Amino acid sequence: MDCLFCKLIAGEIPSTKIYEDEKILCFKDIAPQTDVHLLVTPKEHICCANAITSENSGIVAYIFEKIPEIAKSVGVTDYRIINNCGEGAGQTVKHLHFHILSGPNLNEKLV
Ligand code: 5GP
Ligand code: ZN
């Protein structure tokens, strides 16, 4: 499968890892939008939020359980979690991932 994040998870593409276990990987975004910009992704290939089902939703809960721990490990308690689903919403990598953003330029609120 020609998936950038599957290759990154397999170690075929280098990344700066922040957290890893058997189910998920967290790494630094290559083009950070703010001081802290991490991506958290399941190791299992799920293309996007539209592909979350009762069969695979456990990994989403697991990611959200781990996010506070990951955020704490990089010294932040205030952060924004973003998921872009579909090209029309800005998704460029078709492997489910959550952006964790923290920094002084998060003042503008979209929602
Ligand atoms: P999306 O636009 O799909 O919500 O987010 C994809 C993110 O992946 C972007 O913020 C982009 O900067 C990041 N990204 C794209 N290619 C790479 C890469 O090779 N390595 C890392 N660490 N991040 C990447
Ligand atoms: Zn993938």
Side-chain angles (χ1 to χ4, degrees):
M1 190 188 302
D2 193 23
C3 170
L4 180 70
F5 285 176
C6 279
K7 288 179 184 163
L8 194 143
I9 289 160
E12 294 165 18
I13 293 173
S15 67
T16 305
K17 292 179 185 176
I18 298 295
Y19 175 84
E20 181 173 22
D21 64 25
E22 70 282 6
K23 294 181 194 169
I24 67 172
L25 178 66
C26 175
F27 53 96
K28 287 189 180 181
D29 195 292
I30 204 167
Q33 303 288 310
T34 187
D35 290 6
V36 174
H37 187 171
L38 309 179
L39 300 172
V40 191
T41 186
K43 289 192 169 178
E44 171 192 3
H45 181 86
I46 299 171
C47 69
C48 64
N50 280 334
I52 298 168
T53 66
S54 56
E55 302 293 310
N56 63 19
S57 62
I59 195 63
V60 179
Y62 184 75
I63 285 172
F64 275 76
E65 279 174 37
K66 286 290 174 187
I67 283 176
E69 184 185 315
I70 292 167
K72 193 175 174 190
S73 77
V74 295
V76 300
T77 52
D78 296 9
Y79 49 85
R80 186 172 296 163
I81 302 169
I82 293 177
N83 169 257
N84 296 318
C85 179
E87 285 178 16
Q91 184 180 8
T92 57
V93 179
K94 307 290 169 45
H95 181 127
L96 182 68
H97 55 279
F98 297 90
H99 299 254
I100 302 175
L101 298 152
S102 187
N105 59 339
L106 286 181
N107 297 329
E108 280 186 38
K109 291 193 77 178
L110 190 60
V111 289

Short mmCIF file of all heavy atoms in Angstrom, two decimals, residues 32-79:
data_model
loop_
_atom_site.label_atom_id
_atom_site.label_comp_id
_atom_site.label_asym_id
_atom_site.label_seq_id
_atom_site.Cartn_x
_atom_site.Cartn_y
_atom_site.Cartn_z
N PRO A 32 5.88 22.14 11.26
CA PRO A 32 5.10 22.55 12.43
C PRO A 32 4.39 23.89 12.23
O PRO A 32 4.97 24.84 11.73
CB PRO A 32 6.15 22.63 13.55
CG PRO A 32 7.47 22.67 12.87
CD PRO A 32 7.31 21.98 11.56
N GLN A 33 3.13 23.92 12.65
CA GLN A 33 2.31 25.13 12.53
C GLN A 33 2.39 25.99 13.79
O GLN A 33 1.92 27.12 13.79
CB GLN A 33 0.85 24.74 12.29
CG GLN A 33 0.63 23.87 11.07
CD GLN A 33 0.82 24.63 9.77
OE1 GLN A 33 0.25 25.70 9.59
NE2 GLN A 33 1.63 24.10 8.88
N THR A 34 2.92 25.41 14.86
CA THR A 34 3.10 26.16 16.09
C THR A 34 4.23 25.50 16.89
O THR A 34 4.87 24.57 16.39
CB THR A 34 1.77 26.25 16.88
OG1 THR A 34 1.94 27.12 18.00
CG2 THR A 34 1.30 24.89 17.34
N ASP A 35 4.49 26.02 18.10
CA ASP A 35 5.66 25.55 18.86
C ASP A 35 5.68 24.03 19.01
O ASP A 35 6.70 23.39 18.82
CB ASP A 35 5.67 26.18 20.26
CG ASP A 35 5.97 27.67 20.22
OD1 ASP A 35 6.05 28.22 19.10
OD2 ASP A 35 6.10 28.28 21.30
N VAL A 36 4.54 23.51 19.41
CA VAL A 36 4.41 22.05 19.53
C VAL A 36 3.40 21.59 18.49
O VAL A 36 2.25 22.07 18.48
CB VAL A 36 3.93 21.65 20.95
CG1 VAL A 36 3.65 20.15 21.01
CG2 VAL A 36 4.97 22.05 21.99
N HIS A 37 3.83 20.73 17.59
CA HIS A 37 2.92 20.20 16.57
C HIS A 37 3.27 18.73 16.37
O HIS A 37 4.25 18.38 15.70
CB HIS A 37 3.06 20.97 15.25
CG HIS A 37 2.03 20.57 14.22
ND1 HIS A 37 1.86 21.27 13.05
CD2 HIS A 37 1.12 19.56 14.19
CE1 HIS A 37 0.89 20.69 12.34
NE2 HIS A 37 0.44 19.65 13.00
N LEU A 38 2.45 17.89 17.01
CA LEU A 38 2.67 16.45 16.95
C LEU A 38 1.53 15.80 16.17
O LEU A 38 0.44 16.36 16.05
CB LEU A 38 2.69 15.86 18.37
CG LEU A 38 3.61 16.52 19.39
CD1 LEU A 38 3.48 15.82 20.74
CD2 LEU A 38 5.06 16.51 18.93
N LEU A 39 1.81 14.62 15.65
CA LEU A 39 0.78 13.81 15.00
C LEU A 39 0.70 12.49 15.75
O LEU A 39 1.74 11.90 16.08
CB LEU A 39 1.14 13.55 13.54
CG LEU A 39 1.31 14.81 12.67
CD1 LEU A 39 1.85 14.43 11.29
CD2 LEU A 39 0.00 15.56 12.54
N VAL A 40 -0.52 12.05 16.03
CA VAL A 40 -0.72 10.73 16.66
C VAL A 40 -1.54 9.89 15.69
O VAL A 40 -2.59 10.33 15.21
CB VAL A 40 -1.48 10.83 17.99
CG1 VAL A 40 -1.43 9.49 18.71
CG2 VAL A 40 -0.93 11.92 18.87
N THR A 41 -1.05 8.69 15.43
CA THR A 41 -1.70 7.85 14.43
C THR A 41 -1.77 6.40 14.90
O THR A 41 -0.86 5.93 15.60
CB THR A 41 -0.94 7.97 13.08
OG1 THR A 41 -1.65 7.26 12.09
CG2 THR A 41 0.46 7.45 13.16
N PRO A 42 -2.85 5.71 14.54
CA PRO A 42 -2.85 4.27 14.80
C PRO A 42 -1.86 3.59 13.88
O PRO A 42 -1.64 4.05 12.75
CB PRO A 42 -4.28 3.84 14.45
CG PRO A 42 -4.80 4.89 13.54
CD PRO A 42 -4.07 6.16 13.86
N LYS A 43 -1.26 2.50 14.32
CA LYS A 43 -0.37 1.75 13.43
C LYS A 43 -1.18 1.03 12.35
O LYS A 43 -0.70 0.86 11.23
CB LYS A 43 0.48 0.77 14.24
CG LYS A 43 1.54 1.49 15.08
CD LYS A 43 2.57 0.55 15.67
CE LYS A 43 3.74 1.36 16.24
NZ LYS A 43 4.75 0.51 16.86
N GLU A 44 -2.38 0.65 12.73
CA GLU A 44 -3.31 0.05 11.75
C GLU A 44 -3.70 1.12 10.73
O GLU A 44 -3.99 2.26 11.10
CB GLU A 44 -4.54 -0.42 12.53
CG GLU A 44 -5.70 -0.88 11.70
CD GLU A 44 -6.97 -1.07 12.54
OE1 GLU A 44 -6.94 -0.78 13.76
OE2 GLU A 44 -7.99 -1.47 11.97
N HIS A 45 -3.74 0.74 9.45
CA HIS A 45 -4.15 1.70 8.43
C HIS A 45 -5.66 1.90 8.44
O HIS A 45 -6.42 0.99 8.12
CB HIS A 45 -3.71 1.27 7.03
CG HIS A 45 -4.10 2.27 5.98
ND1 HIS A 45 -3.32 3.36 5.66
CD2 HIS A 45 -5.24 2.39 5.24
CE1 HIS A 45 -3.93 4.09 4.75
NE2 HIS A 45 -5.10 3.52 4.47
N ILE A 46 -6.07 3.10 8.83
CA ILE A 46 -7.47 3.54 8.72
C ILE A 46 -7.38 4.83 7.92
O ILE A 46 -6.60 5.73 8.28
CB ILE A 46 -8.09 3.80 10.12
CG1 ILE A 46 -8.09 2.52 10.96
CG2 ILE A 46 -9.49 4.38 9.99
CD1 ILE A 46 -8.48 2.72 12.42
N CYS A 47 -8.12 4.93 6.84
CA CYS A 47 -7.87 6.05 5.92
C CYS A 47 -8.26 7.40 6.50
O CYS A 47 -7.57 8.40 6.27
CB CYS A 47 -8.54 5.84 4.57
SG CYS A 47 -10.35 5.91 4.65
N CYS A 48 -9.34 7.44 7.28
CA CYS A 48 -9.82 8.74 7.75
C CYS A 48 -10.95 8.52 8.75
O CYS A 48 -11.38 7.37 8.98
CB CYS A 48 -10.30 9.58 6.58
SG CYS A 48 -11.73 8.87 5.74
N ALA A 49 -11.47 9.59 9.31
CA ALA A 49 -12.53 9.48 10.31
C ALA A 49 -13.77 8.81 9.72
O ALA A 49 -14.52 8.15 10.45
CB ALA A 49 -12.86 10.85 10.88
N ASN A 50 -13.99 8.96 8.41
CA ASN A 50 -15.15 8.31 7.79
C ASN A 50 -15.07 6.79 7.85
O ASN A 50 -16.08 6.11 7.66
CB ASN A 50 -15.28 8.73 6.32
CG ASN A 50 -15.93 10.09 6.16
OD1 ASN A 50 -16.69 10.52 7.01
ND2 ASN A 50 -15.61 10.76 5.07
N ALA A 51 -13.89 6.26 8.09
CA ALA A 51 -13.70 4.81 8.11
C ALA A 51 -13.70 4.24 9.53
O ALA A 51 -13.39 3.07 9.73
CB ALA A 51 -12.40 4.44 7.39
N ILE A 52 -14.04 5.07 10.51
CA ILE A 52 -14.13 4.58 11.89
C ILE A 52 -15.46 3.86 12.06
O ILE A 52 -16.52 4.39 11.70
CB ILE A 52 -13.99 5.73 12.91
CG1 ILE A 52 -12.61 6.40 12.76
CG2 ILE A 52 -14.18 5.22 14.33
CD1 ILE A 52 -12.48 7.71 13.51
N THR A 53 -15.39 2.65 12.59
CA THR A 53 -16.58 1.81 12.77
C THR A 53 -16.60 1.26 14.19
O THR A 53 -15.63 1.45 14.96
CB THR A 53 -16.53 0.60 11.80
OG1 THR A 53 -15.43 -0.23 12.20
CG2 THR A 53 -16.35 1.03 10.35
N SER A 54 -17.64 0.51 14.51
CA SER A 54 -17.70 -0.13 15.82
C SER A 54 -16.59 -1.18 15.96
O SER A 54 -16.19 -1.53 17.06
CB SER A 54 -19.07 -0.78 16.05
OG SER A 54 -19.34 -1.69 15.01
N GLU A 55 -16.07 -1.65 14.83
CA GLU A 55 -15.00 -2.65 14.85
C GLU A 55 -13.64 -2.05 15.21
O GLU A 55 -12.82 -2.70 15.85
CB GLU A 55 -14.86 -3.31 13.46
CG GLU A 55 -16.11 -3.99 12.95
CD GLU A 55 -16.47 -5.21 13.77
OE1 GLU A 55 -15.59 -6.05 13.98
OE2 GLU A 55 -17.63 -5.29 14.22
N ASN A 56 -13.40 -0.82 14.77
CA ASN A 56 -12.05 -0.26 14.96
C ASN A 56 -12.01 1.00 15.84
O ASN A 56 -10.93 1.57 16.03
CB ASN A 56 -11.39 0.03 13.59
CG ASN A 56 -12.14 1.08 12.79
OD1 ASN A 56 -12.93 1.84 13.34
ND2 ASN A 56 -11.89 1.14 11.49
N SER A 57 -13.14 1.39 16.40
CA SER A 57 -13.17 2.66 17.14
C SER A 57 -12.38 2.61 18.44
O SER A 57 -12.05 3.66 19.00
CB SER A 57 -14.61 3.09 17.41
OG SER A 57 -15.25 2.12 18.22
N GLY A 58 -12.08 1.42 18.92
CA GLY A 58 -11.31 1.30 20.15
C GLY A 58 -9.96 2.00 20.07
O GLY A 58 -9.49 2.56 21.06
N ILE A 59 -9.38 2.02 18.88
CA ILE A 59 -8.07 2.66 18.73
C ILE A 59 -8.18 4.17 18.89
O ILE A 59 -7.24 4.83 19.36
CB ILE A 59 -7.41 2.27 17.37
CG1 ILE A 59 -5.91 2.61 17.38
CG2 ILE A 59 -8.10 2.93 16.19
CD1 ILE A 59 -5.09 1.87 18.37
N VAL A 60 -9.33 4.71 18.55
CA VAL A 60 -9.53 6.16 18.70
C VAL A 60 -9.62 6.49 20.19
O VAL A 60 -9.00 7.45 20.67
CB VAL A 60 -10.79 6.63 17.94
CG1 VAL A 60 -11.00 8.12 18.14
CG2 VAL A 60 -10.67 6.29 16.46
N ALA A 61 -10.37 5.68 20.93
CA ALA A 61 -10.44 5.87 22.38
C ALA A 61 -9.05 5.74 23.00
O ALA A 61 -8.66 6.52 23.87
CB ALA A 61 -11.40 4.85 22.99
N TYR A 62 -8.30 4.76 22.52
CA TYR A 62 -6.95 4.54 23.04
C TYR A 62 -6.05 5.75 22.79
O TYR A 62 -5.30 6.19 23.67
CB TYR A 62 -6.36 3.28 22.40
CG TYR A 62 -5.02 2.89 22.95
CD1 TYR A 62 -4.90 2.30 24.20
CD2 TYR A 62 -3.85 3.14 22.22
CE1 TYR A 62 -3.66 1.96 24.73
CE2 TYR A 62 -2.60 2.79 22.73
CZ TYR A 62 -2.52 2.21 23.99
OH TYR A 62 -1.29 1.88 24.50
N ILE A 63 -6.14 6.30 21.58
CA ILE A 63 -5.35 7.50 21.26
C ILE A 63 -5.71 8.64 22.21
O ILE A 63 -4.82 9.31 22.76
CB ILE A 63 -5.56 7.90 19.78
CG1 ILE A 63 -4.78 6.94 18.88
CG2 ILE A 63 -5.12 9.35 19.53
CD1 ILE A 63 -5.05 7.10 17.39
N PHE A 64 -6.99 8.82 22.46
CA PHE A 64 -7.41 9.91 23.34
C PHE A 64 -7.04 9.64 24.80
O PHE A 64 -6.85 10.58 25.57
CB PHE A 64 -8.90 10.21 23.16
CG PHE A 64 -9.15 11.16 22.01
CD1 PHE A 64 -9.07 10.72 20.70
CD2 PHE A 64 -9.40 12.50 22.24
CE1 PHE A 64 -9.25 11.60 19.63
CE2 PHE A 64 -9.59 13.38 21.18
CZ PHE A 64 -9.52 12.93 19.88
N GLU A 65 -6.93 8.38 25.17
CA GLU A 65 -6.42 8.07 26.52
C GLU A 65 -4.95 8.46 26.63
O GLU A 65 -4.49 8.90 27.68
CB GLU A 65 -6.51 6.56 26.78
CG GLU A 65 -7.85 6.06 27.22
CD GLU A 65 -7.84 4.53 27.29
OE1 GLU A 65 -6.82 3.94 27.68
OE2 GLU A 65 -8.86 3.93 26.90
N LYS A 66 -4.21 8.26 25.55
CA LYS A 66 -2.76 8.48 25.58
C LYS A 66 -2.38 9.94 25.39
O LYS A 66 -1.29 10.36 25.79
CB LYS A 66 -2.08 7.64 24.50
CG LYS A 66 -2.03 6.17 24.82
CD LYS A 66 -1.05 5.91 25.95
CE LYS A 66 -1.07 4.47 26.42
NZ LYS A 66 -0.25 4.28 27.62
N ILE A 67 -3.23 10.73 24.77
CA ILE A 67 -2.87 12.11 24.44
C ILE A 67 -2.46 12.93 25.68
O ILE A 67 -1.43 13.62 25.63
CB ILE A 67 -3.99 12.80 23.61
CG1 ILE A 67 -3.90 12.31 22.15
CG2 ILE A 67 -3.88 14.32 23.68
CD1 ILE A 67 -4.99 12.83 21.23
N PRO A 68 -3.18 12.87 26.81
CA PRO A 68 -2.72 13.65 27.96
C PRO A 68 -1.31 13.28 28.41
O PRO A 68 -0.51 14.15 28.78
CB PRO A 68 -3.77 13.32 29.04
CG PRO A 68 -4.97 12.89 28.28
CD PRO A 68 -4.45 12.18 27.07
N GLU A 69 -1.02 12.00 28.38
CA GLU A 69 0.31 11.51 28.76
C GLU A 69 1.38 12.04 27.78
O GLU A 69 2.45 12.50 28.19
CB GLU A 69 0.26 9.99 28.71
CG GLU A 69 1.48 9.26 29.16
CD GLU A 69 1.31 7.74 28.94
OE1 GLU A 69 0.22 7.20 29.27
OE2 GLU A 69 2.23 7.13 28.43
N ILE A 70 1.05 11.98 26.50
CA ILE A 70 1.98 12.46 25.47
C ILE A 70 2.19 13.96 25.62
O ILE A 70 3.33 14.46 25.60
CB ILE A 70 1.45 12.11 24.06
CG1 ILE A 70 1.49 10.60 23.83
CG2 ILE A 70 2.24 12.86 22.99
CD1 ILE A 70 0.72 10.12 22.61
N ALA A 71 1.09 14.70 25.82
CA ALA A 71 1.19 16.16 25.97
C ALA A 71 2.05 16.51 27.19
O ALA A 71 2.94 17.35 27.11
CB ALA A 71 -0.21 16.76 26.11
N LYS A 72 1.79 15.81 28.28
CA LYS A 72 2.56 16.06 29.51
C LYS A 72 4.05 15.80 29.27
O LYS A 72 4.91 16.53 29.75
CB LYS A 72 2.02 15.16 30.63
CG LYS A 72 2.51 15.55 32.00
CD LYS A 72 1.84 14.69 33.06
CE LYS A 72 2.44 14.98 34.44
NZ LYS A 72 2.00 14.03 35.45
N SER A 73 4.34 14.77 28.47
CA SER A 73 5.74 14.40 28.24
C SER A 73 6.50 15.47 27.45
O SER A 73 7.73 15.52 27.51
CB SER A 73 5.83 13.05 27.52
OG SER A 73 5.54 13.18 26.15
N VAL A 74 5.77 16.30 26.71
CA VAL A 74 6.43 17.40 25.98
C VAL A 74 6.17 18.73 26.68
O VAL A 74 6.45 19.80 26.12
CB VAL A 74 6.02 17.46 24.49
CG1 VAL A 74 6.49 16.21 23.75
CG2 VAL A 74 4.51 17.66 24.31
N GLY A 75 5.61 18.68 27.89
CA GLY A 75 5.51 19.87 28.74
C GLY A 75 4.32 20.76 28.47
O GLY A 75 4.36 21.95 28.80
N VAL A 76 3.25 20.21 27.88
CA VAL A 76 2.08 21.06 27.65
C VAL A 76 0.82 20.47 28.31
O VAL A 76 0.65 19.25 28.39
CB VAL A 76 1.81 21.33 26.15
CG1 VAL A 76 3.01 22.02 25.51
CG2 VAL A 76 1.47 20.07 25.39
N THR A 77 -0.01 21.40 28.79
CA THR A 77 -1.30 20.98 29.34
C THR A 77 -2.45 21.60 28.54
O THR A 77 -3.58 21.14 28.62
CB THR A 77 -1.44 21.42 30.81
OG1 THR A 77 -1.16 22.82 30.89
CG2 THR A 77 -0.50 20.66 31.71
N ASP A 78 -2.14 22.68 27.78
CA ASP A 78 -3.15 23.35 26.96
C ASP A 78 -2.83 23.06 25.50
O ASP A 78 -1.72 23.39 25.03
CB ASP A 78 -3.13 24.86 27.19
CG ASP A 78 -3.50 25.24 28.61
OD1 ASP A 78 -3.60 24.33 29.46
OD2 ASP A 78 -3.67 26.43 28.87
N TYR A 79 -3.76 22.47 24.81
CA TYR A 79 -3.47 22.10 23.41
C TYR A 79 -4.77 21.93 22.65
O TYR A 79 -5.86 21.84 23.22
CB TYR A 79 -2.65 20.80 23.36
CG TYR A 79 -3.20 19.67 24.20
CD1 TYR A 79 -4.17 18.82 23.70
CD2 TYR A 79 -2.75 19.48 25.50
CE1 TYR A 79 -4.68 17.79 24.47
CE2 TYR A 79 -3.26 18.45 26.28
CZ TYR A 79 -4.22 17.61 25.77
OH TYR A 79 -4.73 16.60 26.54
#
